[in-house]
Amino acid sequence: MAEYRTHPYDVLVIGAGGAGLRAAIEAAASGVKVGVVCKSLLGKAHTVMAEGGVAAAMANVDDRDNWRVHFADTMRGGQYLNNWRMAELHAREAPDRVRELEAWGALFDRTRDGKILQRNFGGHRYPRLAHVGDRTGLEMIRTLQDHGIHSGMDVHMECTVLSLVMDAGRVAGAFGYDREKGHFILWPAKAVVLATGGVGRAFKISSNSWEYTGDGHALAYRAGAELLDMEFVQFHPTGMVWPISVRGILVTEGVRGEGGVLRNSEGKRFMFDDIPDLYKAQTADTEEEGWRYTQGDKDARRPPELLTRDHVARCINREVKAGRGSPHGGVFLDIAWTKERIKDGAEHIKRKLPSMYHQFKQLADIDITKEPMEVGPTTHYMMGGVRVDGDTQMSTIPGLFAAGEVAAGLHGANRLGGNSLSDLLVFGRRAGQYAAEFAKANGAAAVDDAQVQSAAKKAIEPFERGPAGENPYKIQYDLQDSMQELVGIVRLENEMEQALGAIAKLQTRADKVGIDGNRMYNNGWHTAMDLENMLTVSEAITRAALLRKESRGAQFRDDYPDKSAEWAKFNIIARRAESGEMVINKRPVTELPAELKQIIEEMK
Amino acid sequence: MATQALFRIWRGDASGGKFQDYKTEVDEGMVVLDAVHRIQAEQAPDLAVRWNCKAGKCGSCSAEVNGMPKLMCMTRLNQLNLNMPVIIEPMHAFPSIRDLVTDVSWNYRVKKTIKPFKPRSPDAPDGTWRMQQKDVDRVQEFRKCIECFLCQDVCHVLREHHKHDEFIGPRFFVYAAALEMHPLDTEDRVADLKDKYSIGYCNITTCCRQVCPENITITENAIIPLKERVVDKFFDPLKHLFNIL
Ligand SMILES: Cc1cc2nc3c(=O)[nH]c(=O)nc-3n(C[C@H](O)[C@H](O)[C@H](O)COP(=O)(O)OP(=O)(O)OC[C@H]3O[C@@H](n4cnc5c(N)ncnc54)[C@H](O)[C@@H]3O)c2cc1C
Ligand code: SF4
Ligand code: SF4
Ligand code: FES
């Protein structure tokens, strides 16, 4: 019998990024007992890495902006597969959520008249991203952290949740271990909020941290919840490509927002060559107009570098494949050229993009105020996730809520930059509020010790196999290779079939994974525990991508390169059948109410 | 162009430990953390190391590389002499958990004792404030802090004199400065800085500033102005002169 400690809560929040902390603050404010569990130290979650900004139609820079425009932009970006209710609430509530951060101590960059400054970003019609240079995520997480620690929540840092505990179809808590000592812990809870972030570690080239192993997605799936839109994985167009060891690290879209341009090896601004119909009316005709837009000219339209991420990523891919790439297999991103236009240009670049300057200088010996950067696509964001109710964020399992990157719906087939940080705030708050209400309305669920014991037994098995078992790191690397090659930015039926075969084989190897040493801070063991989650989400991504026989948003299929009117009507759901098999189904997109339809028409 | 290099990594826990040598391939552009990962994947799967972003943004991967406090993910191997073993140790100012991982929880406890942000009432009827960029610039510098705790690691008051119960260390002087100089904040932490947090123990050696990966001017911009506030509030003007010199 495995021993474990028990920490009961009314609301248990799994994850301490923007979504988890915002949820915990809200739940604690309503007077219930709140616990937060996170895999890393407090304040280190992925949210800390966000750079460009948080989207909210505050109209501080351009007074034509309002929630309707933001709503329409989000729906257009998501190719109308979005949960319209989430897109609506998000656009309406984001401004208040951002202002609230200021009341908690955040210090955003300012406009001349002393308000929160907003910048341009791909797919947003007006300058909309509140930001702090290029370290907006740090500002946000630190603000929530510093406010949160005084709001009465308990934080269990460096603990990993392994499974959800269920009571007759309702969630009853979570079970896991602390990474430091390897002790098991049970957190019984009346309501659980998943805020575990994304899945980017399933791919080889990724901007995501080690935590992004799809834990929340897999926990929910194994507990019987529905996953939605899993085929939509966002590849950010600009990651570092050189040196190899830093491949994938993000180069913020802010570089292009500040006037950075993409060129191929012939020096051509290739983005002007291919502008999708949906965006023709909003895109600059000339380089000059594009430049004026980045400098705040309200009559100018955006340069094609600021088209949606999926499109820019594919154009870069095309240039590289056509032999017009940069020496290390990317294209050139040039911000240094803006020195011709701006007085003290080099200083200006350093002030606007301090982390980018730092990052290239330190990791690649490149001075971005003098030379162009080499960039290429990198796995960045998961649109797909737990299917939730738009208002409450409750999943299909009573008492189980999800918010932030682990939840799906807001972004549809593709997310606009800046819409994630605002997502965390708006829906983190909602999840916290409704989870607290659920906890108040429902008594404690029963915890079944047998479930706990079987989870503990499974967790210890790798030690019994010892070093003779499969190496967890190797399995992880092999999975990353397969997903990158076979289910990446350009997809094909036969390759994805191959990927399913590879995943099945890796699963067999993962069942035989072996670990050396003991349970104290053992990275090998931690990696072994992540494997099953990564394999589950990889399978869901692949199966959903196979079923969707069209190209839309972030999914590009070489064998079905066009959008299909038929597929515009469906989302895709992944669910675990009683037998343990993964079932994939179509689900009709929910019809928009007339007034929202009209907004979309007006903004076309 | 791969070459071999030797890494001498401290392995052990609170009860003690020793250095162990690992030889591994190194490629162009690699950082120390890449080498540690390679060793982990190929030779020592249970080697404990803390990291998250691998992009210098989260402040998790702090360690001492050839005796220098560094973020392992931002320290390139080509800046080190690879003809000698590369020595990697955990931070010394905090208790060991295992291998390169230390127990930094003290920092989180300290932060909680510092009085939180308390804004003045809003400037505008819609509940918002107006601030000029030049007034936030100064505090934004402090808010760049990624809580890597490298400055805590080198501060002799903590590292050698173990004054963890009385002294909050440079990271939290930066934090206190960010609050004290925040254009909207109305709280007063000056008495605490003097009595509870013993800012007087700091003798401006600037060791902390020199290791800060975010290049925060910890001593000149945060600690000295805070010391001045303490002096202004509690000591006479003449003494003031002596104290800051
Ligand atoms: C480099 C980069 C730049 C970005 N820039 C922007 C931007 O400018 N604007 C924007 O809107 N978005 C941006 N994004 C996206 C955005 O940062 C993320 O989508 C967002 O931060 C996710 O927040 P979250 O709260 O959902 O999860 P996270 O912040 O990732 O937090 C997840 C939490 O869950 C915990 N967790 C995970 N699994 C477990 C488990 N099994 N047990 C216990 N705890 C667990 C983790 O420890 C962590 O605390 C960027 C992303 C990257 C990678
Ligand atoms: S300057 Fe002060 S705080 Fe910084 S290391 Fe020296 S004594 Fe410590
Ligand atoms: S002040 Fe600098 S060295 Fe100290 S914790 Fe912050 S970032 Fe690290
Ligand atoms: S891993 Fe985040 S700073 Fe090094």
Side-chain angles (χ1 to χ4, degrees):
Chain A
M1 291 294 270
E3 284 182 24
Y4 55 86
R5 278 177 292 153
T6 303
H7 296 284
Y9 291 104
D10 292 321
V11 173
L12 179 74
V13 179
I14 307 177
L21 288 173
R22 189 63 193 81
I25 289 170
E26 195 67 18
S30 78
V32 300
K33 189 162 184 247
V34 179
V36 177
V37 188
C38 52
K39 285 209 277 193
S40 48
L41 295 171
L42 188 58
K44 315 276 181 212
H46 207 78
T47 300
V48 80
M49 296 173 78
E51 297 168 353
V54 43
M58 297 187 287
N60 288 353
V61 171
D62 193 318
D63 56 16
R64 291 172 295 181
D65 203 12
N66 59 52
W67 77 264
R68 290 181 186 80
V69 192
H70 192 183
F71 167 76
D73 288 350
T74 302
M75 294 294 293
R76 187 187 307 110
Q79 309 263 333
Y80 307 105
L81 289 185
N82 323 50
N83 175 330
W84 60 262
R85 179 63 177 156
M86 286 174 78
E88 180 193 3
L89 288 171
H90 169 253
R92 281 181 188 270
E93 295 178 4
D96 279 347
R97 295 289 80 75
V98 171
R99 290 189 200 111
E100 178 175 76
L101 289 181
E102 191 151 279
W104 296 345
L107 278 175
F108 292 100
D109 288 352
R110 317 308 296 181
T111 63
R112 280 223 185 89
D113 55 354
K115 296 184 190 159
I116 295 175
L117 181 61
Q118 300 185 269
R119 68 156 53 117
N120 284 311
F121 235 57
H124 292 281
R125 188 161 208 153
Y126 301 119
R128 191 177 282 146
L129 269 68
H131 61 276
V132 186
D134 52 8
R135 55 161 192 87
T136 314
L138 171 62
E139 187 68 16
M140 202 166 114
I141 199 163
R142 200 66 81 230
T143 302
L144 293 169
Q145 170 189 348
D146 294 350
H147 182 75
I149 55 174
H150 295 286
S151 68
M153 60 181 77
D154 292 347
V155 182
H156 301 257
M157 304 197 285
E158 297 200 299
C159 290
T160 299
V161 170
L162 292 170
S163 61
L164 295 174
V165 182
M166 301 298 290
D167 174 20
R170 172 190 161 187
V171 75
F175 176 73
Y177 65 99
D178 84 88
R179 299 167 78 85
E180 197 175 298
K181 300 261 167 23
H183 294 155
F184 288 124
I185 305 176
L186 172 71
W187 294 275
K190 295 175 189 161
V192 172
V193 179
L194 291 171
T196 50
V199 309
R201 279 281 144 188
F203 294 81
K204 186 171 175 189
I205 302 177
S206 169
S207 67
N208 295 176
S209 76
W210 67 265
E211 294 193 292
Y212 268 28
T213 47
D215 295 8
H217 292 75
L219 290 172
Y221 169 85
R222 285 200 293 274
E226 290 182 4
L227 300 182
L228 174 78
D229 294 339
M230 292 297 284
E231 68 276 32
F232 296 118
V233 178
Q234 181 175 78
F235 298 92
H236 193 290
T238 58
M240 291 178 80
V241 298
W242 187 256
I244 290 289
S245 79
V246 299
R247 192 163 212 159
I249 295 185
L250 192 76
V251 179
T252 174
E253 191 167 319
V255 176
R256 285 168 284 143
E258 297 295 340
V261 299
L262 291 168
R263 292 184 206 281
N264 62 20
S265 59
E266 296 162 3
K268 182 162 192 240
R269 272 182 78 179
F270 57 86
M271 287 305 302
F272 276 102
D273 296 351
D274 176 8
I275 297 169
D277 290 340
L278 207 56
Y279 286 94
K280 276 235 160 76
Q282 297 181 17
T283 307
D285 290 329
T286 63
E287 298 192 7
E288 192 52 39
E289 183 182 0
W291 167 250
R292 282 195 282 114
Y293 175 89
T294 62
Q295 301 310 298
D297 181 340
K298 293 186 183 172
D299 299 323
R301 292 166 302 173
R302 79 179 122 227
E305 274 87 358
L306 290 179
L307 285 163
T308 52
R309 291 181 170 170
D310 56 307
H311 180 74
V312 180
R314 273 194 302 278
C315 290
I316 292 176
N317 222 35
R318 180 194 67 209
E319 292 304 306
V320 174
K321 285 217 164 129
R324 295 187 293 266
S326 65
H328 301 105
V331 294
F332 296 106
L333 172 61
D334 186 6
I335 183 80
W337 83 276
T338 60
K339 282 188 303 190
E340 296 165 18
R341 302 298 186 97
I342 293 183
K343 199 161 81 67
D344 288 333
E347 280 315 303
H348 181 81
I349 295 168
K350 283 189 214 166
R351 199 176 62 243
K352 284 288 177 182
L353 302 161
S355 336
M356 284 305 107
Y357 174 77
H358 208 63
Q359 183 174 311
F360 274 89
K361 190 99 190 143
Q362 214 156 343
L363 295 176
D365 286 326
I366 286 191
D367 180 345
I368 66 167
T369 69
K370 299 205 176 89
E371 306 161 71
M373 301 158 244
E374 275 188 74
V375 297
T378 179
T379 313
H380 187 55
Y381 185 85
M382 183 55 172
M383 272 73 71
V386 180
R387 185 165 84 80
V388 291
D389 172 71
D391 287 84
T392 64
Q393 300 289 291
M394 190 158 89
S395 71
T396 44
I397 295 178
L400 181 64
F401 297 75
E405 194 166 337
V406 67
L410 170 60
H411 311 291
N414 203 0
R415 172 184 76 101
L416 300 185
N419 267 1
S420 168
L421 292 185
S422 42
D423 171 7
L424 312 181
L425 297 172
V426 169
F427 295 107
R429 173 180 156 276
R430 284 183 164 267
Q433 177 190 344
Y434 288 100
E437 275 181 23
F438 186 95
K440 284 179 186 165
N442 294 275
V447 172
D448 166 18
D449 191 60
Q451 277 180 45
V452 174
Q453 289 301 337
S454 99
K457 179 165 175 290
K458 200 165 157 221
I460 311 176
E461 277 169 2
F463 287 105
E464 286 154 14
R465 283 185 289 266
E470 289 274 349
N471 177 325
Y473 301 100
K474 297 248 154 67
I475 301 176
Q476 185 180 6
Y477 293 154
D478 289 348
L479 175 66
Q480 290 168 337
D481 281 335
S482 296
M483 289 302 283
Q484 185 76 32
E485 275 189 15
L486 305 172
V487 201
I489 188 160
V490 175
R491 297 171 174 172
L492 268 174
E493 179 151 319
N494 65 354
E495 289 185 353
M496 289 192 282
E497 293 289 0
Q498 229 177 299
L500 286 178
I503 292 168
K505 282 208 193 91
L506 289 165
Q507 182 66 62
T508 330
R509 279 170 63 192
D511 293 339
K512 292 193 223 110
V513 71
I515 299 298
D516 200 4
N518 62 35
R519 272 151 65 182
M520 273 177 72
Y521 218 104
N522 187 331
N523 287 125
W525 187 38
H526 302 165
T527 303
M529 293 296 99
D530 294 340
L531 285 176
E532 187 172 349
N533 301 332
M534 296 180 79
L535 287 162
T536 302
V537 293
S538 297
E539 182 181 347
I541 292 168
T542 312
R543 290 196 187 278
L546 262 170
L547 183 61
R548 184 173 287 281
K549 293 190 172 46
E550 67 157 352
S551 294
R552 175 183 300 274
Q555 149 129 320
F556 184 77
R557 288 201 47 173
D558 224 4
D559 41 1
Y560 300 93
D562 299 315
K563 255 192 277 198
S564 115
E566 183 55 21
W567 271 107
K569 297 180 199 150
F570 296 100
N571 294 104
I572 293 176
I573 298 277
R575 202 172 38 79
R576 189 171 185 271
E578 287 294 333
S579 62
E581 297 275 290
M582 186 176 287
V583 233
I584 300 282
N585 284 315
K586 295 206 280 194
R587 179 173 197 277
V589 172
T590 334
E591 185 78 9
L592 262 77
E595 65 275 17
L596 293 182
K597 253 191 197 151
Q598 200 188 334
I599 293 175
I600 289 173
E601 278 308 309
E602 283 165 14
M603 307 278 169
K604 267 207 166 133
Chain B
M1 76 141 280
T3 47
Q4 291 248 325
L6 187 66
F7 294 84
R8 186 160 290 167
I9 302 179
W10 193 85
R11 305 269 337 240
D13 54 33
S15 62
K18 60 178 183 357
F19 285 99
Q20 204 156 319
D21 285 354
Y22 300 93
K23 218 182 230 144
T24 193
E25 301 267 293
V26 302
D27 312 309
E28 190 184 344
M30 259 170 74
V31 294
V32 171
L33 187 59
D34 290 319
V36 172
H37 281 159
R38 191 167 277 181
I39 291 163
Q40 214 180 32
E42 291 169 0
Q43 308 174 42
D46 64 340
L47 171 59
V49 57
R50 192 186 264 139
W51 68 287
N52 266 36
C53 67
K54 201 173 169 292
K57 296 206 156 75
C58 71
S60 301
C61 63
S62 307
E64 297 182 12
V65 179
N66 290 343
M68 292 297 293
K70 292 278 188 194
L71 295 177
M72 285 185 276
C73 72
M74 295 302 275
T75 307
R76 287 180 68 180
L77 292 177
N78 67 2
Q79 295 160 351
L80 305 172
N81 176 4
L82 296 184
N83 297 319
M84 306 274 285
V86 176
I87 299 169
I88 314 177
E89 304 163 77
M91 290 193 281
H92 284 267
F94 303 110
S96 163
I97 290 178
R98 188 154 171 226
D99 304 342
L100 300 176
V101 178
T102 52
D103 178 357
V104 292
S105 59
W106 169 78
N107 293 282
Y108 292 86
R109 290 193 296 274
V110 167
K111 188 184 239 185
K112 227 173 156 167
T113 69
I114 299 172
K115 287 185 196 158
F117 176 65
K118 192 166 127 199
R120 66 169 186 243
S121 49
D123 300 337
D126 64 352
T128 60
W129 288 270
R130 299 291 175 269
M131 285 177 266
Q132 289 306 311
Q133 183 64 42
K134 64 172 178 6
D135 298 327
V136 304
D137 275 344
R138 173 157 92 140
V139 182
Q140 281 181 337
E141 180 193 4
F142 304 143
R143 294 184 63 93
K144 286 193 307 191
C145 171
I146 56 175
E147 301 199 328
C148 65
F149 308 128
L150 288 173
C151 55
Q152 309 286 69
D153 184 42
V154 292
C155 177
H156 67 100
V157 184
L158 298 171
R159 191 184 176 106
E160 272 121 48
H161 306 291
H162 309 287
K163 297 278 185 200
H164 294 73
D165 291 337
E166 299 162 61
F167 181 76
I168 58 177
R171 157 59 191 137
F172 294 106
F173 292 132
V174 169
Y175 177 67
L179 289 163
E180 284 291 302
M181 297 180 203
H182 193 299
L184 305 184
D185 184 67
T186 57
E187 188 60 87
D188 184 353
R189 303 168 190 81
V190 178
D192 285 353
L193 282 164
K194 172 172 152 294
D195 301 329
K196 232 167 115 186
Y197 304 140
S198 316
I199 194 168
Y201 287 175
C202 161
N203 54 346
I204 318 282
T205 58
T206 75
C207 308
C208 50
R209 188 200 64 204
Q210 291 171 39
V211 301
C212 176
E214 289 292 313
N215 296 311
I216 300 172
T217 326
I218 304 176
T219 34
E220 288 75 0
N221 290 356
I223 298 181
I224 293 178
L226 289 180
K227 279 177 170 273
E228 285 173 353
R229 287 180 188 213
V230 169
V231 168
D232 285 347
K233 191 162 177 159
F234 295 100
F235 302 99
D236 66 48
L238 197 65
K239 240 183 169 176
H240 177 168
L241 268 178
F242 290 111
N243 261 296
I244 58 170
L245 287 177

